Coordinates of all heavy atoms in Angstrom, one line a residue:
M299 N -10.0 7.9 9.8 CA -9.0 8.8 9.3 C -9.6 9.8 8.3 O -10.4 9.5 7.4 CB -7.9 8.0 8.6 CG -6.8 8.8 8.0 SD -5.5 7.8 7.4 CE -4.5 9.0 6.5
K300 N -9.2 11.1 8.5 CA -9.7 12.1 7.6 C -8.8 12.2 6.4 O -7.6 12.2 6.5 CB -9.7 13.5 8.3 CG -10.6 13.5 9.6 CD -12.0 13.6 9.2 CE -12.8 13.9 10.5 NZ -14.3 13.6 10.3
C301 N -9.4 12.4 5.2 CA -8.6 12.6 4.0 C -7.8 13.9 4.1 O -8.4 14.9 4.4 CB -9.6 12.6 2.8 SG -8.7 13.0 1.3
P302 N -6.5 13.8 3.8 CA -5.7 15.1 3.9 C -6.0 16.0 2.8 O -5.6 17.2 2.8 CB -4.3 14.5 3.9 CG -4.4 13.2 3.2 CD -5.7 12.6 3.6
Y303 N -6.7 15.6 1.7 CA -7.0 16.4 0.6 C -8.3 17.2 0.7 O -8.4 18.4 0.5 CB -7.0 15.6 -0.7 CG -5.7 15.0 -1.0 CD1 -5.4 13.7 -0.6 CD2 -4.7 15.7 -1.7 CE1 -4.1 13.1 -0.8 CE2 -3.5 15.1 -2.0 CZ -3.2 13.9 -1.5 OH -1.9 13.3 -1.8
C304 N -9.3 16.5 1.2 CA -10.7 17.1 1.2 C -11.3 17.1 2.6 O -12.3 17.8 2.8 CB -11.6 16.4 0.2 SG -12.1 14.8 0.8
G305 N -10.7 16.4 3.6 CA -11.2 16.4 4.9 C -12.3 15.4 5.2 O -12.8 15.3 6.3
S306 N -12.8 14.7 4.2 CA -13.9 13.7 4.4 C -13.3 12.5 5.1 O -12.1 12.2 5.1 CB -14.4 13.2 3.0 OG -15.0 14.3 2.3
E307 N -14.2 11.7 5.8 CA -13.8 10.5 6.5 C -13.5 9.5 5.4 O -14.2 9.2 4.5 CB -15.0 10.0 7.4 CG -14.6 8.9 8.3 CD -13.5 9.4 9.3 OE1 -13.6 10.6 9.8 OE2 -12.7 8.5 9.7
M308 N -12.3 8.8 5.6 CA -11.9 7.8 4.7 C -12.4 6.4 5.1 O -12.6 6.2 6.3 CB -10.4 7.8 4.6 CG -9.8 9.1 4.1 SD -8.0 9.1 3.9 CE -7.9 8.5 2.2
E309 N -12.6 5.6 4.1 CA -13.1 4.2 4.4 C -11.9 3.3 4.5 O -11.0 3.2 3.6 CB -14.0 3.7 3.2 CG -14.5 2.4 3.5 CD -15.5 1.9 2.3 OE1 -15.6 2.6 1.3 OE2 -16.1 0.8 2.5
L310 N -11.8 2.5 5.6 CA -10.7 1.5 5.8 C -11.0 0.2 5.0 O -12.1 -0.3 5.1 CB -10.6 1.2 7.3 CG -9.5 0.3 7.7 CD1 -8.1 0.8 7.2 CD2 -9.5 0.0 9.2
G311 N -10.0 -0.2 4.3 CA -10.1 -1.5 3.6 C -8.7 -2.1 3.5 O -7.9 -1.9 4.3
Y312 N -8.6 -2.9 2.5 CA -7.3 -3.7 2.3 C -6.8 -3.6 0.9 O -7.6 -3.4 -0.1 CB -7.5 -5.2 2.6 CG -8.0 -5.4 4.0 CD1 -9.3 -5.5 4.3 CD2 -7.0 -5.7 5.0 CE1 -9.7 -5.7 5.6 CE2 -7.5 -6.0 6.3 CZ -8.8 -6.0 6.6 OH -9.2 -6.2 7.9
I313 N -5.5 -3.7 0.7 CA -4.9 -4.0 -0.6 C -4.1 -5.3 -0.4 O -3.3 -5.4 0.5 CB -4.0 -2.8 -1.1 CG1 -4.9 -1.6 -1.4 CG2 -3.2 -3.3 -2.3 CD1 -4.2 -0.5 -2.1
Q314 N -4.4 -6.2 -1.3 CA -3.8 -7.5 -1.1 C -3.1 -7.9 -2.4 O -3.5 -7.5 -3.5 CB -4.9 -8.6 -0.8 CG -5.6 -8.4 0.5 CD -6.7 -9.3 0.7 OE1 -7.9 -9.0 0.5 NE2 -6.4 -10.6 1.1
C315 N -2.0 -8.6 -2.3 CA -1.2 -9.1 -3.4 C -0.6 -10.4 -3.1 O -0.1 -10.6 -2.0 CB -0.1 -8.1 -3.8 SG 0.8 -8.5 -5.3
R316 N -0.7 -11.3 -3.9 CA -0.3 -12.7 -3.7 C 1.2 -12.8 -3.2 O 1.6 -13.6 -2.4 CB -0.5 -13.6 -5.0 CG -0.1 -15.0 -4.8 CD -0.1 -15.7 -6.1 NE 0.9 -15.2 -7.0 CZ 1.1 -15.5 -8.3 NH1 0.3 -16.3 -8.8 NH2 2.1 -14.9 -9.0
D317 N 2.0 -11.9 -3.8 CA 3.5 -11.9 -3.6 C 3.9 -10.9 -2.6 O 5.1 -10.6 -2.6 CB 4.2 -11.8 -4.9 CG 3.9 -13.0 -5.8 OD1 4.1 -14.1 -5.4 OD2 3.4 -12.7 -6.9
G318 N 3.0 -10.3 -1.9 CA 3.4 -9.2 -1.0 C 3.2 -7.8 -1.7 O 3.2 -7.7 -2.9
V319 N 2.9 -6.8 -0.8 CA 2.7 -5.5 -1.3 C 4.0 -4.7 -1.2 O 4.6 -4.5 -0.1 CB 1.6 -4.8 -0.5 CG1 1.3 -3.4 -1.1 CG2 0.3 -5.6 -0.5
T320 N 4.5 -4.3 -2.4 CA 5.9 -3.7 -2.5 C 5.8 -2.4 -3.2 O 5.2 -2.3 -4.2 CB 6.8 -4.7 -3.2 OG1 6.8 -6.0 -2.5 CG2 8.3 -4.2 -3.2
W321 N 6.6 -1.4 -2.7 CA 6.8 -0.2 -3.4 C 8.2 -0.2 -3.9 O 9.2 -0.6 -3.3 CB 6.6 1.0 -2.4 CG 6.9 2.3 -3.1 CD1 5.9 3.1 -3.6 CD2 8.1 3.0 -3.2 NE1 6.5 4.3 -4.1 CE2 7.8 4.2 -3.9 CE3 9.4 2.7 -2.9 CZ2 8.8 5.1 -4.2 CZ3 10.4 3.6 -3.2 CH2 10.1 4.8 -3.8
T322 N 8.4 0.2 -5.2 CA 9.7 0.3 -5.8 C 9.8 1.6 -6.6 O 8.8 2.1 -7.1 CB 10.0 -0.9 -6.8 OG1 8.9 -0.9 -7.8 CG2 10.0 -2.2 -6.1
P323 N 11.0 2.2 -6.6 CA 11.2 3.4 -7.3 C 11.0 3.3 -8.8 O 10.7 4.3 -9.5 CB 12.6 3.9 -6.9 CG 13.3 2.7 -6.4 CD 12.2 1.8 -5.9
K324 N 11.3 2.1 -9.3 CA 11.2 1.8 -10.8 C 10.3 0.6 -11.0 O 10.3 -0.3 -10.2 CB 12.5 1.6 -11.4 CG 13.4 2.8 -11.4 CD 14.7 2.5 -12.1 CE 15.6 3.8 -12.1 NZ 17.0 3.5 -12.7
K325 N 9.5 0.6 -12.1 CA 8.7 -0.5 -12.4 C 9.6 -1.7 -12.6 O 10.5 -1.7 -13.4 CB 7.8 -0.2 -13.6 CG 6.8 -1.3 -13.8 CD 5.8 -0.9 -14.9 CE 6.4 -1.1 -16.3 NZ 5.4 -0.9 -17.3
Q326 N 9.2 -2.9 -12.0 CA 10.0 -4.1 -12.1 C 9.5 -4.9 -13.3 O 8.3 -5.0 -13.6 CB 9.9 -4.9 -10.8 CG 10.4 -4.1 -9.6 CD 11.8 -3.7 -9.7 OE1 12.7 -4.5 -9.9 NE2 12.1 -2.4 -9.6
P327 N 10.4 -5.6 -14.0 CA 10.0 -6.4 -15.1 C 9.1 -7.6 -14.7 O 8.3 -8.0 -15.5 CB 11.3 -6.9 -15.8 CG 12.3 -6.7 -14.7 CD 11.9 -5.6 -13.8
I328 N 9.3 -8.1 -13.5 CA 8.5 -9.2 -13.1 C 7.9 -8.8 -11.7 O 8.6 -8.7 -10.7 CB 9.3 -10.5 -12.9 CG1 10.0 -10.9 -14.2 CG2 8.4 -11.7 -12.4 CD1 11.0 -12.0 -14.1
A329 N 6.6 -8.6 -11.7 CA 5.9 -8.1 -10.5 C 6.1 -9.0 -9.3 O 6.3 -8.5 -8.2 CB 4.4 -8.0 -10.8
A330 N 6.2 -10.3 -9.5 CA 6.3 -11.2 -8.4 C 7.7 -11.1 -7.7 O 7.8 -11.5 -6.5 CB 6.1 -12.7 -8.8
L331 N 8.7 -10.5 -8.4 CA 10.0 -10.3 -7.8 C 10.3 -8.9 -7.4 O 11.4 -8.5 -7.2 CB 11.1 -10.8 -8.8 CG 10.9 -12.3 -9.3 CD1 12.0 -12.6 -10.3 CD2 11.0 -13.2 -8.1
S332 N 9.2 -8.1 -7.3 CA 9.4 -6.7 -6.9 C 10.2 -6.5 -5.6 O 10.9 -5.5 -5.5 CB 8.1 -6.0 -6.8 OG 7.5 -5.9 -8.1
A333 N 10.0 -7.4 -4.7 CA 10.7 -7.2 -3.4 C 12.2 -7.3 -3.5 O 12.9 -6.9 -2.6 CB 10.2 -8.2 -2.4
L334 N 12.7 -7.8 -4.7 CA 14.1 -8.0 -4.9 C 14.7 -6.7 -5.6 O 15.9 -6.6 -5.8 CB 14.4 -9.2 -5.7 CG 13.9 -10.5 -5.1 CD1 14.2 -11.7 -6.1 CD2 14.6 -10.8 -3.8
G335 N 13.8 -5.8 -6.0 CA 14.3 -4.7 -6.8 C 15.0 -3.7 -5.9 O 14.8 -3.6 -4.7
R336 N 15.9 -2.9 -6.6 CA 16.7 -1.9 -5.9 C 15.8 -0.9 -5.2 O 14.9 -0.3 -5.9 CB 17.7 -1.3 -6.9 CG 18.6 -0.3 -6.2 CD 19.4 0.4 -7.3 NE 20.2 -0.5 -8.1 CZ 21.5 -0.7 -8.0 NH1 22.1 0.0 -7.1 NH2 22.1 -1.5 -8.8
G337 N 16.0 -0.6 -4.0 CA 15.3 0.4 -3.3 C 13.8 0.0 -2.9 O 13.0 0.8 -2.6
S338 N 13.5 -1.3 -3.0 CA 12.2 -1.7 -2.8 C 11.8 -1.6 -1.3 O 12.7 -1.8 -0.4 CB 12.0 -3.2 -3.2 OG 12.6 -4.1 -2.4
I339 N 10.6 -1.4 -1.0 CA 10.1 -1.4 0.3 C 8.8 -2.3 0.4 O 7.9 -2.1 -0.4 CB 9.6 0.1 0.7 CG1 10.9 1.0 0.7 CG2 9.0 0.1 2.1 CD1 10.5 2.5 0.9
T340 N 8.9 -3.3 1.3 CA 7.8 -4.1 1.5 C 6.8 -3.4 2.4 O 7.2 -3.1 3.6 CB 8.2 -5.5 2.1 OG1 9.0 -6.1 1.1 CG2 7.0 -6.4 2.4
L341 N 5.6 -3.1 2.0 CA 4.7 -2.4 2.8 C 4.0 -3.4 3.7 O 3.5 -4.4 3.3 CB 3.6 -1.7 1.9 CG 4.2 -0.8 0.8 CD1 3.1 -0.1 0.1 CD2 5.1 0.3 1.5
A342 N 4.0 -3.1 5.0 CA 3.4 -3.9 6.0 C 2.9 -3.0 7.1 O 3.6 -2.1 7.6 CB 4.3 -5.0 6.6
N343 N 1.7 -3.3 7.6 CA 1.1 -2.4 8.7 C 0.2 -3.2 9.6 O -0.7 -2.6 10.2 CB 0.4 -1.2 8.1 CG -0.7 -1.5 7.1 OD1 -1.2 -2.6 7.1 ND2 -1.0 -0.5 6.3
G344 N 0.5 -4.5 9.7 CA -0.3 -5.3 10.6 C -1.5 -6.0 10.1 O -2.2 -6.7 10.9
A345 N -1.8 -5.8 8.9 CA -3.1 -6.4 8.3 C -2.9 -7.9 8.1 O -3.9 -8.7 8.1 CB -3.5 -5.8 7.0
A346 N -1.6 -8.4 8.0 CA -1.4 -9.8 7.7 C 0.1 -10.1 8.2 O 1.0 -9.3 8.0 CB -1.5 -10.2 6.2
D347 N 0.3 -11.3 8.7 CA 1.6 -11.7 9.2 C 2.5 -11.9 8.0 O 3.7 -11.8 8.1 CB 1.5 -13.0 10.0 CG 0.8 -12.8 11.3 OD1 0.8 -11.6 11.8 OD2 0.3 -13.8 11.9
N348 N 2.0 -12.3 6.8 CA 2.8 -12.6 5.7 C 3.0 -11.4 4.7 O 3.6 -11.6 3.6 CB 2.2 -13.8 4.9 CG 0.8 -13.5 4.5 OD1 0.3 -12.4 4.5 ND2 0.0 -14.5 4.2
A349 N 2.6 -10.2 5.1 CA 2.8 -9.0 4.3 C 2.1 -9.1 3.0 O 2.4 -8.3 2.0 CB 4.3 -8.8 4.1
R350 N 1.1 -10.0 2.8 CA 0.4 -10.1 1.6 C -0.8 -9.2 1.6 O -1.6 -9.2 0.6 CB 0.0 -11.5 1.3 CG 1.2 -12.4 0.9 CD 0.9 -13.8 0.7 NE 2.1 -14.6 0.4 CZ 2.1 -15.9 0.4 NH1 1.0 -16.6 0.7 NH2 3.2 -16.5 0.1
A351 N -1.0 -8.5 2.7 CA -2.2 -7.6 2.8 C -1.8 -6.4 3.6 O -1.0 -6.5 4.6 CB -3.4 -8.3 3.3
V352 N -2.3 -5.2 3.3 CA -2.1 -4.0 4.1 C -3.4 -3.3 4.3 O -4.3 -3.4 3.4 CB -1.0 -3.0 3.5 CG1 0.4 -3.6 3.5 CG2 -1.5 -2.6 2.1
Y353 N -3.5 -2.7 5.4 CA -4.7 -1.8 5.6 C -4.5 -0.6 4.6 O -3.4 -0.1 4.5 CB -4.8 -1.3 7.0 CG -5.1 -2.3 8.0 CD1 -4.2 -2.7 9.0 CD2 -6.3 -3.0 8.0 CE1 -4.4 -3.6 10.0 CE2 -6.6 -4.0 9.0 CZ -5.7 -4.3 10.0 OH -5.9 -5.2 10.9
A354 N -5.6 -0.1 4.1 CA -5.5 1.0 3.2 C -6.8 1.9 3.3 O -7.9 1.3 3.4 CB -5.3 0.6 1.7
Y355 N -6.6 3.2 3.4 CA -7.7 4.1 3.5 C -8.1 4.6 2.2 O -7.2 5.0 1.4 CB -7.4 5.2 4.5 CG -7.4 4.8 5.9 CD1 -6.2 4.4 6.5 CD2 -8.6 4.8 6.7 CE1 -6.2 4.0 7.9 CE2 -8.6 4.5 8.0 CZ -7.4 4.1 8.6 OH -7.4 3.7 9.9
R356 N -9.4 4.7 1.8 CA -9.8 5.2 0.5 C -10.7 6.4 0.7 O -11.6 6.4 1.5 CB -10.5 4.1 -0.2 CG -11.1 4.5 -1.6 CD -11.8 3.3 -2.3 NE -13.1 3.1 -1.6 CZ -14.2 3.5 -2.1 NH1 -14.3 4.3 -3.2 NH2 -15.4 3.3 -1.5
C357 N -10.4 7.4 -0.1 CA -11.4 8.5 -0.2 C -12.1 8.5 -1.6 O -11.5 8.5 -2.6 CB -10.6 9.9 -0.1 SG -11.7 11.3 -0.3
S358 N -13.4 8.3 -1.5 CA -14.2 8.1 -2.7 C -14.4 9.4 -3.4 O -14.6 9.5 -4.6 CB -15.5 7.5 -2.4 OG -16.3 8.3 -1.5
H359 N -14.2 10.5 -2.7 CA -14.4 11.9 -3.3 C -13.1 12.2 -4.2 O -13.2 12.6 -5.3 CB -14.6 12.9 -2.3 CG -15.8 12.7 -1.5 ND1 -17.1 12.9 -1.9 CD2 -15.9 12.3 -0.2 CE1 -18.0 12.7 -1.0 NE2 -17.3 12.3 0.1
C360 N -12.0 12.0 -3.6 CA -10.7 12.4 -4.3 C -10.1 11.2 -5.1 O -9.2 11.4 -5.8 CB -9.7 12.8 -3.2 SG -10.1 14.2 -2.2
R361 N -10.7 10.0 -4.9 CA -10.2 8.8 -5.5 C -8.7 8.6 -5.3 O -7.9 8.5 -6.2 CB -10.5 8.9 -7.0 CG -12.0 8.8 -7.3 CD -12.3 8.7 -8.8 NE -13.8 8.6 -9.0 CZ -14.4 7.4 -9.0 NH1 -13.8 6.3 -8.9 NH2 -15.8 7.4 -9.2
K362 N -8.4 8.6 -4.0 CA -7.1 8.4 -3.5 C -7.1 7.3 -2.5 O -8.1 7.1 -1.7 CB -6.4 9.6 -2.9 CG -6.2 10.7 -4.0 CD -5.4 11.9 -3.4 CE -5.4 13.1 -4.4 NZ -4.8 12.7 -5.7
V363 N -6.0 6.5 -2.4 CA -5.8 5.5 -1.4 C -4.5 5.8 -0.6 O -3.5 6.2 -1.2 CB -5.7 4.1 -2.1 CG1 -5.3 3.0 -1.0 CG2 -7.0 3.8 -2.7
I364 N -4.6 5.7 0.7 CA -3.4 6.0 1.5 C -3.0 4.7 2.3 O -3.9 4.1 2.9 CB -3.7 7.1 2.5 CG1 -3.9 8.4 1.7 CG2 -2.5 7.3 3.5 CD1 -4.2 9.6 2.5
I365 N -1.7 4.3 2.2 CA -1.2 3.2 2.9 C -0.2 3.6 3.9 O 0.9 4.2 3.5 CB -0.6 2.1 1.9 CG1 -1.7 1.7 0.9 CG2 0.0 1.0 2.7 CD1 -1.1 0.9 -0.2
D366 N -0.4 3.4 5.2 CA 0.7 3.6 6.2 C 1.5 2.3 6.2 O 1.0 1.2 6.0 CB 0.1 3.8 7.6 CG -0.5 5.2 7.7 OD1 -0.1 6.1 7.1 OD2 -1.6 5.2 8.4
Y367 N 2.8 2.4 6.4 CA 3.7 1.2 6.5 C 4.7 1.5 7.5 O 5.1 2.6 7.8 CB 4.3 0.9 5.1 CG 5.3 1.9 4.6 CD1 6.7 1.6 4.9 CD2 5.0 3.0 3.9 CE1 7.7 2.5 4.5 CE2 6.0 3.9 3.5 CZ 7.3 3.7 3.8 OH 8.2 4.5 3.4
S368 N 5.2 0.3 8.0 CA 6.2 0.4 9.1 C 7.5 -0.2 8.8 O 8.5 0.1 9.4 CB 5.7 -0.3 10.4 OG 5.3 -1.6 10.1
S369 N 7.6 -1.1 7.8 CA 8.8 -1.7 7.5 C 9.7 -0.9 6.5 O 9.2 -0.1 5.8 CB 8.6 -3.1 6.8 OG 8.0 -2.9 5.6
D370 N 11.0 -1.1 6.6 CA 11.9 -0.3 5.8 C 12.6 -1.2 4.7 O 13.5 -0.7 4.0 CB 13.0 0.3 6.6 CG 12.4 1.4 7.5 OD1 11.5 2.1 7.1 OD2 12.9 1.6 8.6
T371 N 12.4 -2.5 4.7 CA 13.1 -3.3 3.7 C 12.1 -4.1 2.9 O 10.9 -4.2 3.2 CB 14.0 -4.4 4.4 OG1 13.1 -5.1 5.4 CG2 15.1 -3.7 5.2
Ligands
ZN116 ZN1 -10.6 13.3 -0.2

């Protein structure tokens, strides 16, 4: 995957979290319960059946990480 910022080839790796990888619009008081937060999105893209890991592309030049996800809840 090419970095959308600089065009360099990105390195594929993983981001893992014991309690699942979750995006929330507001920081949650307890990280382990983030999936229960309002508007939360559990990020999953096939890296693990239990949603505790996602594939993530890293650009070492721009120091950015990109995560594609497919789930909406
Ligand atoms: Zn870049």
